[in-house]
Amino acid sequence: MKTISVLGSTGSIGTQALDIARLHKINIKALAANRNVSLLTNQAKEFNAEYVCIYDKEKYKELKENFIGTKVKVLCGIEGLCEIAVLDGVDILLNSVVGMVGLRPTLEAIEKGVDIALANKETLVTGGKLVIDKAAQQGVKILPVDSEHSAIFQCLQGNEMNEINKIILTASGGPFFGFSKSELENVSVEQALDHPNWSMGNKITIDSATLMNKGLEFIEAMWLFDLKPEQIEIVVHRESVIHSAVEYKDGSVIAQMGVPDMRLPIQYALLYPKRLHCKEKALSLTDYGTLSFSKPDYETFDCLRACIKAITIGGSMPAVVNGANEKAVELFLNRKISFLQIGELVTSALESIKPCEITCLEDVLQTDKTAREFVLSKI
Ligand code: MN
């Protein structure tokens, strides 16, 4: 059986990954969380983890006290995440932290030769070239956990990459599908957090409401599958039954379907290439009756437009829009800015900050800092 470590174990993806680990008796070497000490402690005790790490250093003492008299090694901060990333005897590192903070541990795990199950899309958005080049160099697999990218990965099995025409990246459209700019003016944090199909963490739920999430996924897909921007078509599909599709040169389109439940893509990444029992409830197409498809509204949802422009320019620009968005979403969740200001700030960062080359991790960190400072200077 496989042994894994999980970064972000108390979040939405992390807890569902542990459901899969429980179901299929996957060993857990190490667990890391942002700041939820009590859940992390319970998880580590249940799975007999050898290492635990809390990212928030202020919580370290509290976590440490929970493991007095045990052999569990207790870590904290980014150094702790990186130490977990390179432990011996781990088959897969599941990276499900939120934000570009996940980039350094990802790079260190790849350097060590550990396969990555990647749920942290900001890693590829900000440091895509660094990650993909290093993974190729080290012969490391990047197994996508994001439902759309898992779908594409599944549709590619048994086929040749050079026989692809394009991929069809589906989007639920989020809670504000069909809204105009003026209707979005006064939407609240609660409305933005109320996603119609998927239950996820706060940051990604806001990203889904602005369609920033689809923009980040567009960039993520380019890196994962070595595609050009014109090879990706975004299609709004409200029901989230088709999780994405691949169109081949002969015109055949292969799609992956399933009920919207993240445990399926998580399990596929962790058990790849095996398919074992996962869910009680299977997909019933007749329950759905009809499936709908439409084009996204690039005018209203300016974050999506900004992401596509950023990756078309290339270099540091994807890290610019990502950093600006991370800061803007934090400000929106703290009720410091309005919903529409997220898109305005991301677009303004894209137009104001000059692109530069990304050749190392330091370049990414510097770009991220510049973008966050830019956003703060504008409010
Ligand atoms: Mn997704």
Side-chain angles (χ1 to χ4, degrees):
M1 215 356 122
K2 285 182 179 172
T3 297
I4 67 168
S5 291
V6 182
L7 305 183
S9 67
T10 59
S12 173
I13 297 289
T15 51
Q16 294 180 83
L18 293 183
D19 290 342
I20 302 297
R22 205 176 279 120
L23 182 64
H24 296 296
K25 314 260 181 290
I26 296 172
N27 296 320
I28 303 290
K29 180 88 169 185
L31 295 170
N34 184 18
R35 52 201 321 274
N36 190 340
V37 169
S38 60
L39 181 54
L40 176 61
T41 302
N42 291 341
Q43 291 176 336
K45 291 189 172 166
E46 180 191 344
F47 288 94
N48 290 314
E50 294 168 42
Y51 294 78
V52 289
C53 172
I54 196 85
Y55 181 68
D56 184 345
K57 290 188 173 174
E58 284 177 16
K59 300 273 177 179
Y60 175 68
K61 222 177 126 237
E62 194 187 334
L63 183 65
K64 184 103 183 147
E65 278 164 10
N66 289 349
F67 291 95
I68 288 174
T70 72
K71 284 184 178 161
V72 177
K73 187 145 189 238
V74 182
L75 308 167
C76 68
I78 184 73
E79 303 81 6
L81 295 183
C82 291
E83 191 171 335
I84 284 180
V86 299
L87 291 174
D88 288 326
V90 175
D91 301 303
I92 297 178
L93 177 73
L94 170 61
N95 185 345
S96 55
V97 305
V98 177
M100 67 81 67
V101 65
L103 179 58
R104 211 180 118 195
T106 300
L107 288 171
E108 299 210 4
I110 296 172
E111 184 74 50
K112 166 93 181 178
V114 180
D115 288 341
I116 312 282
L118 193 64
N120 173 228
K121 64 191 76 179
E122 294 91 343
T123 289
L124 279 180
V125 169
T126 59
K129 188 171 164 41
L130 305 177
V131 170
I132 295 302
D133 286 354
K134 199 179 272 288
Q137 230 173 60
Q138 299 294 103
V140 158
K141 284 197 212 58
I142 308 283
L143 301 153
V145 171
D146 208 344
S147 62
E148 295 80 357
H149 304 77
S150 173
I152 295 160
F153 184 56
Q154 293 180 55
C155 296
L156 289 170
Q157 300 301 311
N159 293 295
E160 298 294 329
M161 285 301 296
N162 61 9
E163 291 173 355
I164 297 179
N165 261 350
K166 66 173 184 186
I167 64 162
I168 296 163
L169 188 67
T170 53
S172 73
F176 303 135
F177 172 72
F179 279 47
S180 65
K181 272 247 155 119
S182 64
E183 288 169 317
L184 286 173
E185 233 156 61
N186 295 312
V187 299
S188 65
V189 171
E190 289 71 24
Q191 285 171 296
L193 284 176
D194 190 17
H195 195 279
N197 303 347
W198 294 99
S199 151
M200 308 174 287
N202 282 355
K203 199 264 177 180
I204 184 172
T205 305
I206 300 301
D207 286 348
S208 297
T210 60
L211 295 200
M212 182 75 189
N213 184 55
K214 208 48 57 181
L216 298 175
E217 289 180 352
F218 186 101
I219 300 172
E220 186 186 9
M222 282 180 57
W223 288 115
L224 276 172
F225 307 112
D226 192 21
L227 299 167
K228 298 186 187 76
E230 56 273 21
Q231 284 180 292
I232 304 175
E233 180 187 4
I234 299 173
V235 172
V236 177
H237 164 50
R238 295 292 285 156
E239 297 82 4
S240 299
V241 167
I242 294 180
H243 298 308
S244 279
V246 177
E247 181 190 297
Y248 288 92
K249 286 190 171 159
D250 60 0
S252 183
V253 178
I254 301 181
Q256 188 263 338
M257 301 165 115
V259 290
D261 184 325
M262 283 308 295
R263 280 174 295 185
L264 201 153
I266 295 167
Q267 176 170 308
Y268 191 72
L270 296 181
L271 301 184
Y272 174 80
K274 280 197 160 54
R275 291 189 183 272
L276 301 181
H277 172 77
C278 181
K279 286 191 50 61
E280 297 309 320
K281 195 178 179 307
L283 173 67
S284 165
L285 285 173
T286 50
D287 280 357
Y288 282 91
T290 53
L291 298 177
S292 64
F293 306 95
S294 57
K295 288 187 174 149
D297 177 354
Y298 292 96
E299 283 311 306
T300 305
F301 295 93
D302 38 10
C303 284
L304 176 57
R305 200 174 61 218
C307 285
I308 296 172
K309 182 142 184 234
I311 189 67
T312 308
I313 300 168
S316 58
M317 294 324 276
V320 166
V321 290
N322 180 73
N325 180 63
E326 285 194 29
K327 195 69 206 173
V329 170
E330 182 191 315
L331 292 165
F332 173 68
L333 285 169
N334 291 323
R335 294 164 211 273
K336 298 282 199 299
I337 62 170
S338 72
F339 182 78
L340 283 180
Q341 276 178 285
I342 301 172
E344 287 161 16
L345 288 163
V346 168
T347 304
S348 171
L350 173 73
E351 287 165 356
S352 312
I353 300 172
K354 289 219 160 35
C356 59
E357 272 210 68
I358 297 282
T359 55
C360 60
L361 176 62
E362 199 43 53
D363 294 341
V364 180
L365 299 178
Q366 189 52 50
T367 302
D368 181 69
K369 187 161 169 271
T370 306
R372 285 165 192 264
E373 285 168 0
F374 176 85
V375 166
L376 281 177
S377 76
K378 290 285 159 187
I379 60 158

